[in-house]
Amino acid sequence: MTGNGDEPLITAVKPLVDAMGGEMLPPDEAGPDDVVLAWEGVDVVAVRLPQLADSLDHILAAMERKQGKPLADLDRKAKQEVVRILEARGAFSVRHGVETVASALGVSRFTVYNYLNREKEN
């Protein structure tokens, strides 16, 4: 996947691809929905973006790692902040997004909707 001089591009985009839950592959293996990145006019790497539902799971896992404990163990205020961040990232536009987030937080769907409504009132 690497050749002359293209390692800086791969090194630069790898953290972003990992954070999104994407996959890097050789450009000649790219499918029609993959994004091919070029370096100095040469196709270097293709990025396969995750499905939205997989991306939400990936985001929740990353948030849990950042918190250093399961999201369900956070206090109410911290859970509200998690919901605010997830809403800003479009988590609730994903099918079953509310249910997925509620499960990760250890709360009911009703509670997640309350957190969302509370945020809109402020």
Side-chain angles (χ1 to χ4, degrees):
M1 187 161 36
T2 61
N4 279 340
D6 54 20
E7 290 83 3
L9 175 66
I10 292 171
T11 300
V13 299
K14 185 173 181 354
L16 176 61
V17 173
D18 290 347
M20 295 184 322
E23 176 186 355
M24 294 181 7
L25 50 141
D28 60 347
E29 293 180 20
D33 294 330
D34 297 331
V35 179
V36 177
L37 303 177
W39 183 258
E40 297 178 350
V42 177
D43 290 346
V44 173
V45 64
V47 177
R48 181 157 297 153
L49 301 172
Q51 297 298 314
L52 282 175
D54 296 338
S55 192
L56 178 55
D57 290 339
H58 194 80
I59 291 167
L60 287 166
M63 293 182 90
E64 198 162 84
R65 282 191 303 275
K66 186 175 180 180
Q67 294 291 334
K69 60 182 169 183
L71 296 178
D73 292 348
L74 298 176
D75 64 25
R76 184 175 53 83
K77 186 173 173 110
K79 288 178 182 181
Q80 289 172 335
E81 178 65 11
V82 165
V83 168
R84 187 193 64 72
I85 291 166
L86 290 170
E87 182 181 28
R89 294 185 72 176
F92 302 110
S93 64
V94 175
R95 185 173 180 176
H96 303 298
V98 170
E99 292 87 345
T100 301
V101 171
S103 176
L105 292 175
V107 299
S108 69
R109 287 179 19 224
F110 181 76
T111 298
V112 172
Y113 284 119
N114 280 342
Y115 291 170
L116 288 168
N117 289 335
R118 186 182 168 141
E119 191 62 34
K120 286 181 174 78
E121 292 169 4
N122 292 333

